[in-house]
Amino acid sequence: MLRFYFALWVSKLAAWVLKLRGRERDDRPGLLANRICPDFLAKIRKPPLVITVTGTNGKSTTTALLNNKLVAEGKKVSFNDWGANMNAGYALNLMRCVNIFNKPVYDASILEADERLLDKTMGMIRPNYILVTNICKDSLRRNGHPEFIFDIINRTFDELGDHTTAILNANDPISSQLADHSPRVYFGMSDIGAHPFENRVKDIAVCPKCGSEIKYNYRIYRHIGDFYCPDCDFRTPESKYYVSSADLKNRVMTVVENGEAWEYPLISDAVYNVYNVLSCVAVLRELGGSKKEISEFLKTQQVTKIRETCKEYNGIKYYTYGAKSQNVSAASTVFEYMAKEPSDKDLVLLMDEVQDGNHPTETLTWLYETDFEFLNSPNIKRIIVGGHMYLNHQLRLLLAGVPREKIVCVENESDIPQYVEREGIEKVYVLFEIDFLFKALRMRDAIVEKAREEDARA
């Protein structure tokens, strides 16, 4: 234990020094703790409640909602709100929860967990709940394929057994099959008239039990929906928390729980955020939260700034909107939303990844698995691409059928604001790789400033 206490004290000291320097959002103290004591995560004592949120998409939004609700209840919660979702982030998160004698002083810890490393860590942390938002097509270079991620998460549940309750998406044919040796709680959705587009790539196409083609009574988006196999008993499991209707325009959904219906506000008009709010409701209800209190709380919430911000000037709304490069499902879902969102708009694509010396090139396959065809929509007036990958994006857009005259290519990203026009435009969306929020904010603000300067000269 001497090694553990040394790691705890040194990491706490490092965190204190960083806080004094205004760098509290830094997970290096957690990295230090793990290096000094490799089983730090196992030896550190846990608060009474530990909730892990994992899955391909939706983790950050859902963890933020859960944290905000528990904090609103007066609980002391440790939460890495900047998305430090690997070992160092876990160590820092849990280190905050104890004093120098390893005695818990927080009420709860909420861990946004990278699904790729789940089986290496959760056996040591042993959370009370693991919420799996979904399993979808992600980065080929890093995550391989959905079946690979399924096996990682399933091994985690096998190790935890009945200690941990799994909260699962009943409408996901992949993640709904997890945790068959653990307590399971499902959330799901009825046919809300989403009218999803057809994707180029299917995250799951055949029944994992018998190999027949999976059928749907309805889909919500991508492979998410009410599924069944015509040749065996593989089908959508019954949901404890079930959206019977959702009004995206007015941002409200009705959830049926044990035969009783209750309305909850939504944080946006995007269909995938219905699932994020629903999964949050499921966790909070499992914790004993009242329907009324949860509903009142959700009225105060909005999409996290990591995912979406908006600034309005002279009748036009300028957005930053997280889209995740290399992530086929996330990018395609955002592109579908852009096509369905009815306003006339310009799009700025800032979806290049900045690689380090070990990875000097990007994997290009994701461009051809992502549904750029969705961007060939009459309400998208102009698509402006910049950065070192701009010609690759231009080629993909042309192959998707987007007219050449609607594509503006700018090698130097700093020149992009000069090509954003305002005539006939209601909104401008800066779609950005989520690791570079501040870059997107600077771009959005530069576009707005260019508009101000034009008005000043007029």
Side-chain angles (χ1 to χ4, degrees), residues 44 95 102 128 154 172 219 254 370 396-397 429 433:
I44 193 165
M95 177 263 291
N102 197 26
N128 305 94
N154 212 35
D172 181 1
R219 288 190 305 117
T254 300
T370 300
R396 181 67 187 93
L397 287 165
Y429 284 90
E433 159 60 40

Side-chain angles (χ1 to χ4, degrees), residues 27 30 34 40-41 44 52-54 78 80 84-96 109-118 120-122 125:
D27 57 356
N34 284 326
F40 183 84
L41 294 176
I44 193 165
T52 294
V53 179
T54 193
S78 181
N80 287 353
N85 60 4
M86 298 186 188
N87 294 26
Y90 306 154
L92 176 63
N93 189 312
L94 294 171
M95 177 263 291
R96 292 198 200 108
S109 171
I110 297 178
L111 300 170
E112 177 185 334
D114 186 284
E115 62 277 11
R116 178 65 176 79
L117 303 174
L118 208 69
K120 302 292 192 297
T121 54
M122 290 302 130
I125 296 172

Side-chain angles (χ1 to χ4, degrees), residues 33 173 203 265 268 303 340 371 392 402 406 419 433:
D203 297 327
S268 84
V303 177
K340 289 182 175 180
D371 296 286
N392 288 288
V402 178
K406 292 177 67 171
Y419 295 91
E433 159 60 40

Side-chain angles (χ1 to χ4, degrees), residues 273-327:
N273 271 323
V274 180
Y275 278 105
N276 292 332
V277 175
L278 174 61
S279 64
C280 173
V281 169
V283 174
L284 294 173
R285 287 292 293 151
E286 289 298 300
L287 295 177
S290 78
K291 298 174 185 177
K292 183 177 180 180
E293 288 180 358
I294 296 171
S295 181
E296 290 299 317
F297 158 75
L298 288 171
K299 291 178 181 178
T300 68
Q301 298 301 293
Q302 58 187 4
V303 177
T304 173
K305 292 182 179 179
I306 298 174
R307 294 292 181 262
E308 178 184 339
T309 69
C310 179
K311 177 181 287 188
E312 187 169 357
Y313 171 70
N314 202 15
I316 298 177
K317 293 183 177 180
Y318 298 84
Y319 288 86
T320 60
Y321 208 94
K324 290 187 179 180
S325 68
Q326 301 282 327
N327 184 314

Side-chain angles (χ1 to χ4, degrees), residues 354-367:
V354 177
Q355 301 299 324
D356 58 30
N358 296 322
H359 301 96
T361 60
E362 291 187 12
T363 302
L364 294 180
T365 55
W366 78 276
L367 293 173

